[in-house]
């Protein structure tokens, strides 16, 4: 969340990773203006506005925003599926510049090409001259070539050269256009089938998913590689690279030109500038890396894929895009990815691999040899081969065209960058900022925030709500006006409207919201209360009129409410919890943490059995004497909320919150046996009815509450649907797992489908799902910073250091597993109903096939309205030939693939308003000036793991020993991270092969460097780390991702001290897992750390559920109760894996590069002890404390190493800048002088000089305390080559 610019407009969290570090001013531009910009960017060739009109537009919203909108190709509401005529002309111009024949087009465009032909000839001649002088590559490519020349020097002849003739994708949309033949809807070759469809383009690679087994190869001779990689001799790499740069004709043909008389064969290339280091104002600017992609012409869809995720880095030939000219914002890393599916099947002997009889032990283990003369490299299977040292130029050849590998390689190189640059991490994580929301009833008086309301409903929201909505210093409406200034417009009625979003109102602190009157009053002023308006109070608290009972993504204005839909007041707190979820690569729930909970919720009427008898029982509950319910010295639930027990005569008292009633009606060990027996005697529907009455009760009713509620009479008898006034009351229910045949009380019979029947539980009456801002999903750049260096923090955060994380991707490669059920995954159906989608592994369907879907009335009606409309529009149109149904994945061997995919626009692109509301609420709460950013660091780390029951048929071992949530102290946590155990996943290889913190198996340097950084991160910040389960709990309880979805709701409603493991342990909310005896043996269950207890469920899940004690059975909290033999097998899986992995780290030398606590851990995992210390040894565990880490010599060495590397990086950047400026001063170099002036290079030189002085000052090390530093082990490696500087790129 960012600061405002000079005009008072906020920078959005949307960052364009291309070139400069300025955030796009996307969030504050008014919607009509955004649409106008999009139209300018997508207008036809013969519709281009005059330059002065474009200039006026840029002046209104900024040239930076205009250009960066173009870079990610986001057009919002103005997106269409039509081909852009302007791009068509541009493509022909570029083809001609490359010496290729343009595609056939209109006479107007042909005339234009004839007009510019002399200019093109001049350009080609200049390229020829540059080539003769060895200056024919762009600066980034020169850096890559310089690395290859150095790395492969003396290896088997001349070094392979990067292609000079390239079709550079220098603006977003070119790759998409070029991936299909001009005017055609289908392209097909041996590697891929692509189809133009109603929603965009669907690309189906030959194989629908990939294995990770045997895929990851590293060139020998650079940095050390982990034991899970295959080491490849340099000579084999060189020969593979040579062939990679010589693709066959069929693969090298641009699809766009495939039907032309002379198709173009050329390399398509792309520049990316992905984020590496998030900005920390006053400490570090945002920094990006640069990555160059080279693909054979027919693989342009891969470039469309990666540029849609990371943004187009523009023209790499231009000085403005030369990263080396901007060392302030460049990490110093230039990556390269070469796509080469044609290198599969190369002969192992011809590559220079040794015969098995002459191979060494590692080569035999890795299969890097041949036995027969016709043996194939890697047995002919797909692979990726990476070449790297410590000098900042990682290069990878991917022998496949699978989309996921391209994205993963950018991620891999970002991980490399984080390690060689320092201070930051690349994390495989999901995340969100979760703002707890509450049902405020019909009337809400803003002056009662955190107090008992004198007006409106008596359902006091309690101490939790009071804490979550509290401020350090109360604010007034005058503070709002002073703080937001010109960004708001004052209204005569005494409120203000946001100038960027006219549906955001700022109202005074004494506002009273009334649903019956549909008004907002403040003093003697009154305005209408309206839906689709966000009312923000001076404290940052938000109030909205929303329709409860509907889980639609959006509601149309004027749409009629359903039977069980009712307008309510929703209150949302100003400060959210930033939840960070490093997760197993597949199936751990990293995406689910930020997904909508609404899709899991069902609504229905409030049930009464016999309303008269039920109300009699409820009166008894309300009037019961609760003063003597405790059996010990435990604090009474009344007293926990500051209420004197003797003062309460009825639970309808306004001082009693819903939460207190839930505690009173939930069994606790601290209650007397008599009270617990009474609780258990209360029927479930009576308990829920009591909470319904409480939520709707008003103090002015006194004891006469019964007359306000009734049921209708049906056939002369009382009905069962409870009503309040004329409307039925509403209950909401959420799924938490599925019924199974193993359920004790309600076993599921006569079915083999363990996902058929839901287990649903009633939510609290005052519950609304959190408002979530999606902040991460897969690739995260994060940095750890001392608290004192973060300006404007929430006053409740008092940790020593905090992690600031930022999503690297603009679009997310989603696998919509649930979309196969029409109507269930509403977000996917909305996304896939829009034009411009990138889709993979879905079935392209013609009109006859779509007609069959529509004719199935029952099935078709299950789809959401957007998908229905898309399918109907396709039937009513003539083009294109194909359409996609979100419920119909691609068929592979006659069955739907388990790996359907599409690119989903990230929330920071599609819902900038939501980010603005979240930012503004926090800004008001903390009174942060517009000139400053609003920091929202990670507040909790909630990892994810995948569990599975044993599957002997597929050789998948048992891993079902965790309950819903565990806490691990650092040694056990890093055993978990190091072993990277994941249960059977819906895609890739399944159990046991992938991990979040190690980046295995995709990483290109030793996994120990990532683990070193992670340990420092957790130790210096002091985060307590919890892990939630997905898949199953125990072998018999399927839960899918239901726990992952619930965790944000629970955690965001916890106070800061309640999220502390120390607090949870001391209060009995966590229990330590101890060894368990079984069959005469001790099962070492202590490897599971701590797990949540019944008390945790009742106390914290009670803030979400009406009857929390029913949510999890005893055998879910203690999975060993389901099947002790399978539990034992699961523990054995963990301990055996720990031993195997620990041994691998010791044997391959990784342990020797580990920081001391990790080195000791690896040996303990492998051998049970290290220098006489065991896992439980106090001396060993003391090594992991923050004090021990911060005071250690090895940590200080990380800081000193960063100082050295940062100084050298800045010196290289300074020399590059100075040389460039010096060369421009020759008399004839008018363009060089212009570039120096336009880019402000002399001012950059001054800033770098100043920064260098700061870095080399003795005091710099002090400012680094509490950060990650950089790992000295990387540069101390024998073949790091850090002492062999690469020659810089030449002049542009």
């Amino acid at each position: 969340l960012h600061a405002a610019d000079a005009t008072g407009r906020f920078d959005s969290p949307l960052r364009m990773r291309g070139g400069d570090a300025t955030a796009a001013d996307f969030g504050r531009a008014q919607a009509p203006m955004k649409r106008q910009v999009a139209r300018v960017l997508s207008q036809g060739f013969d519709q281009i506005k005059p330059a002065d009109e474009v200039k006026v537009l840029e002046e209104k919203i900024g040239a930076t925003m205009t250009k960066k909108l173009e870079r990610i190709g986001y057009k919002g509401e103005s997106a269409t599926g039509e081909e852009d005529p302007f791009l068509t002309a541009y493509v022909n111009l570029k083809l001609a510049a490359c010496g290729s024949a343009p595609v056939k087009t209109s006479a107007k465009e042909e005339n234009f090409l004839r007009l510019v032909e002399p200019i093109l000839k001049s350009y080609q001649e200049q390229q020829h001259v540059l080539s003769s002088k060895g200056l024919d590559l762009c600066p980034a490519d020169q850096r890559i070539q310089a690395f290859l020349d150095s790395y492969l020097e003396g290896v088997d002849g001349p070094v392979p050269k990067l292609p000079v003739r390239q079709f550079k994708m220098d603006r977003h949309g070119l790759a998409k256009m070029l991936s299909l033949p001009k005017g055609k809807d289908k392209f097909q070759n041996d590697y891929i089938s692509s189809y133009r469809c109603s929603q965009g383009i669907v690309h189906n690679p030959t194989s629908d998913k990939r294995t990770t087994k045997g895929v990851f190869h590293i060139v020998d001779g650079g940095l050390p590689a982990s034991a899970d990689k295959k080491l490849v001799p340099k000579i084999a790499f060189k020969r593979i690279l040579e062939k990679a740069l010589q693709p066959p004709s069929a693969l090298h043909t641009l699809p766009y030109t495939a039907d032309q008389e002379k198709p173009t064969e050329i390399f398509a290339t792309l520049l990316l500038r992905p984020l590496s280091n998030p900005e920390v104002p006053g400490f570090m600017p945002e920094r990006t890396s640069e990555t160059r992609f080279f693909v054979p012409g027919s693989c342009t869809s891969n470039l469309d894929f990666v540029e849609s995720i990371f943004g187009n880095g523009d023209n790499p030939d231009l000085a403005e895009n030369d990263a080396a000219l901007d060392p302030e914002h460049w990490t110093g890393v230039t990556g390269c990815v070469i796509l080469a599916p044609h290198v599969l099947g190369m002969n192992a002997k011809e590559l220079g691999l040794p015969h098995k009889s002459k191979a060494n032990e590692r080569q035999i283990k890795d299969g890097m040899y041949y036995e027969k003369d016709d043996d194939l490299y890697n047995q002919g299977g797909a692979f990726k081969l990476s070449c790297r040292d410590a000098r900042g130029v990682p290069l990878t050849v991917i022998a496949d065209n699978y989309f996921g590998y391209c994205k993963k390689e950018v991620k891999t190189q970002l991980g490399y960058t984080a390690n060689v640059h320092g201070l930051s991490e690349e994390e495989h994580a999901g995340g969100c900022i979760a703002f707890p929301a509450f049902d405020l009833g019909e009337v809400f008086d803003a002056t009662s925030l955190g107090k008992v309301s004198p007006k409106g409903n008596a359902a006091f929201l309690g101490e939790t709500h009071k804490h979550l909505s509290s401020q350090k210093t109360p604010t007034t409406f005058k503070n709002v006006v002073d703080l937001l200034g010109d960004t708001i417009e004052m209204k005569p009625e005494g409120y203000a409207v946001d100038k960027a979003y006219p549906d955001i109102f700022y109202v005074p602190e004494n506002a009273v919201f009334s649903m019956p009157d549909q008004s907002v009053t403040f003093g003697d002023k009154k305005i209408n209360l309206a839906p689709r308006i966000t009312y923000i109070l001076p404290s940052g608290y938000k109030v909205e009129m929303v329709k409860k009972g509907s889980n639609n993504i959006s509601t149309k204005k004027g749409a009629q409410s359903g039977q069980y839909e009712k307008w309510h007041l929703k209150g949302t707190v100003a400060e959210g919890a930033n939840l960070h979820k490093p997760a197993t690569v597949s199936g751990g729930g990293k995406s689910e943490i930020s997904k909508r909970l609404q899709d899991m919720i069902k609504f229905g009427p409030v049930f009464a059995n016999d309303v008269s008898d039920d109300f009699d029982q409820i009166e008894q509950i309300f009037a019961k004497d609760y003063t003597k319910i405790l059996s010990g010295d435990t604090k009474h639930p009344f007293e926990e909320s500051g209420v004197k027990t003797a003062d309460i005569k009825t639970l309808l008292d306004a001082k009693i919150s819903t939460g207190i009633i839930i505690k009173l009606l939930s069994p606790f060990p601290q209650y007397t046996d008599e009270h617990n027996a009474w609780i258990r005697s209360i029927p479930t529907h009576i308990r829920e009815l009591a909470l319904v009455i409480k939520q709707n009760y008003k103090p002015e009713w006194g004891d006469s509450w019964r007359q306000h509620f009734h049921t209708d009479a049906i056939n002369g008898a009382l009905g069962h649907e409870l009503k309040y006034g004329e409307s039925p009351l509403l209950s909401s229910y959420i799924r938490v797992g599925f019924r199974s045949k193993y359920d004790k009380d309600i076993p599921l019979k006569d079915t083999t489908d363990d996902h058929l029947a839901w287990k649903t539980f009633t939510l609290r009456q005052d519950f609304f799902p959190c408002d979530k801002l999606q902040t991460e999903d897969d690739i995260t750049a994060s940095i750890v910073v001392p608290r004192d260096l973060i300006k404007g923090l929430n006053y409740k955060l008092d940790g020593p250091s905090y992690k600031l994380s930022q999503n690297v991707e603009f679009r997310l490669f989603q696998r919509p597993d649930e979309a196969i059920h029409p109507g269930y995954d509403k977000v996917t159906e909305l996304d896939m109903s829009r034009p411009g989608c990138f889709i993979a592994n879905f079935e392209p369907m013609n009109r006859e096939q779509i007609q069959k879907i529509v004719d199935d009335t029952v099935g078709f009606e299950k789809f959401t309205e957007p998908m229905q409309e898309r399918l109907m529009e396709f039937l009513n149109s003539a083009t294109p030939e194909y359409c996609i149904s979100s419920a119909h994945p691609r068929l592979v061997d006659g069955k739907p693939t388990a790996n359907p995919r599409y690119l989903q626009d990230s929330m920071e692109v599609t819902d900038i308003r939501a980010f603005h509301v979240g930012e503004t609420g926090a800004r008001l709460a903390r009174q942060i000036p517009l000139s400053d950013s609003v920091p929202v660091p990670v507040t909790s780390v909630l990892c994810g793991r995948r569990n599975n029951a044993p599957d002997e048929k597929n050789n998948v071992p048992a891993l079902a020993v965790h309950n819903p949530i565990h806490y691990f102290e650092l040694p056990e946590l890093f055993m978990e991270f190091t072993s990277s155990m994941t249960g059977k996943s819906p895609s890739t290889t399944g159990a046991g092969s992938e991990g979040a913190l190690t980046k295995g198996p995709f990483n290109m340097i030793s996994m120990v460097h990532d683990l070193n950084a992670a340990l420092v991160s957790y130790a210096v910040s002091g985060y307590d780390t919890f892990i939630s389960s997905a898949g199953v709990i125990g072998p018999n309880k399927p839960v899918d991702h239901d726990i992952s979805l619930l965790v944000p709701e629970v955690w965001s409603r916890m106070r800061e001290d309640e999220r502390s493991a120390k607090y949870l342990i001391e209060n009995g909310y966590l229990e330590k897992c101890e060894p368990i005896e079984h069959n005469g043996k001790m099962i070492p269950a202590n490897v599971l750390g701590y797990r949540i207890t019944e008390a945790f469920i009742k106390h914290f899940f009670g803030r979400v559920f009406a009857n929390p004690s029913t949510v999890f059975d005893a055998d879910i909290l203690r999975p060993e109760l389901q099947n002790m033999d399978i539990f034992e097998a699961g523990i054995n899986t963990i301990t055996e894996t720990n031993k195997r992995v620990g041994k691998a780290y010791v044997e391959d030398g990784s342990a020797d590069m580990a920081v001391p606590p990790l080195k000791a851990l690896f040996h303990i995992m492998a051998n049970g002890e290290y220098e006489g210390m065991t896992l439980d040894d106090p001396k060993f565990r003391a090594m992991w404390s923050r004090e021990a880490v911060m005071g250690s010599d090895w940590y200080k060495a990380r800081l000193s190493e960063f100082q050295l590397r940062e100084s050298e990086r800045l010196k290289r950047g300074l020399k590059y800048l100075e040389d460039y400026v010096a060369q421009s001063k020759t008399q004839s170099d008018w363009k060089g002088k212009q570039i120096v002036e336009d880019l402000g290079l002399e001012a950059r030189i001054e800033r770098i000089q100043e920064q260098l002085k700061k870095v080399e000052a003795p005091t710099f090390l002090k400012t680094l305390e509490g950060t990650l530093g950089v790992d000295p082990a990387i540069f101390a490696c024998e073949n790091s080559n850090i002492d062999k500087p690469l020659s810089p790129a030449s002049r542009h």
Side-chain angles (χ1 to χ4, degrees), residues 39 50 80 90 166 213 257 287 384 477 501 599 618 644 761 848 973 1120 1130 1159 1234 1255:
R39 282 196 295 271
T80 70
Y90 188 59
Q166 306 172 16
K213 185 177 180 180
T257 68
R287 285 182 183 157
K384 72 162 199 162
F477 188 64
Y501 297 98
D599 288 341
I618 290 169
K644 292 182 178 180
F761 301 88
E848 181 180 352
L973 181 69
E1120 64 270 20
K1159 181 177 181 179
Q1234 185 184 63
V1255 167

Side-chain angles (χ1 to χ4, degrees), residues 769-790:
C770 286
D771 281 355
K772 293 180 182 177
L773 299 179
Q774 182 187 51
T775 53
E776 307 172 71
D777 191 304
D778 197 15
I779 306 179
T780 292
S782 65
I783 185 169
V784 174
V785 183
R787 184 185 190 279
D788 294 343
L789 296 181
I790 307 174

Side-chain angles (χ1 to χ4, degrees), residues 202-390:
V202 58
H203 300 286
N204 291 336
T206 303
S207 298
D208 63 321
K209 59 182 178 181
R210 295 299 190 274
T211 179
T212 55
K213 185 177 180 180
V215 166
F216 304 98
H217 302 190
I218 299 292
V219 181
D220 197 5
L223 299 174
S226 299
D228 66 330
K229 304 297 186 295
K230 294 188 175 186
L231 280 184
V232 181
K234 278 189 178 182
I235 188 171
F237 165 67
K238 177 177 177 293
R239 292 173 181 177
I240 289 172
L241 180 61
E242 285 174 342
K243 184 166 183 179
L245 296 174
Q246 298 171 9
S249 178
L251 182 64
H252 212 29
T253 298
L254 275 178
Y256 191 73
T257 68
D259 291 345
Q260 302 300 305
E261 184 175 335
K262 189 175 181 181
T264 296
E265 297 178 19
I266 194 170
F267 268 99
T269 68
L270 174 69
L271 172 67
L272 301 180
R273 294 297 305 275
L275 176 73
S276 298
N277 294 63
E279 177 188 12
V280 182
F283 179 70
M284 176 177 282
E286 179 178 286
R287 285 182 183 157
T288 63
S289 297
E290 64 178 354
T291 303
R292 289 282 285 142
F293 265 81
F294 295 79
V295 306
S298 72
C299 295
T300 52
S301 56
N302 292 78
L303 299 187
D304 178 24
F305 176 71
V306 290
E307 78 167 358
S308 295
I309 295 173
F310 301 104
N312 186 298
D314 214 319
N315 189 339
D317 290 316
L318 302 182
E320 65 190 75
N321 299 315
D322 181 358
L325 288 176
D326 189 13
E328 290 175 278
H329 304 110
W330 179 45
T331 59
V333 174
T334 299
C336 179
V337 182
I338 300 172
L339 215 60
H342 60 286
V343 302
L344 294 179
M346 293 186 73
N347 182 276
K349 180 179 180 180
E350 292 175 0
L351 285 177
L353 296 185
H355 188 271
K356 185 175 182 180
S357 62
K358 296 181 180 180
N360 61 36
E361 185 178 348
R362 178 70 186 256
Q363 288 172 328
I364 291 175
K365 180 183 83 69
D366 294 342
M368 288 295 147
Y369 61 86
Y370 72 94
E371 284 187 281
K372 301 176 183 177
D373 287 352
D374 59 353
D375 281 349
L376 302 181
Y377 178 82
N378 202 42
Q379 291 78 51
F383 63 91
K384 72 162 199 162
L385 175 57
S386 296
C387 171
R388 75 287 178 275
D389 56 22

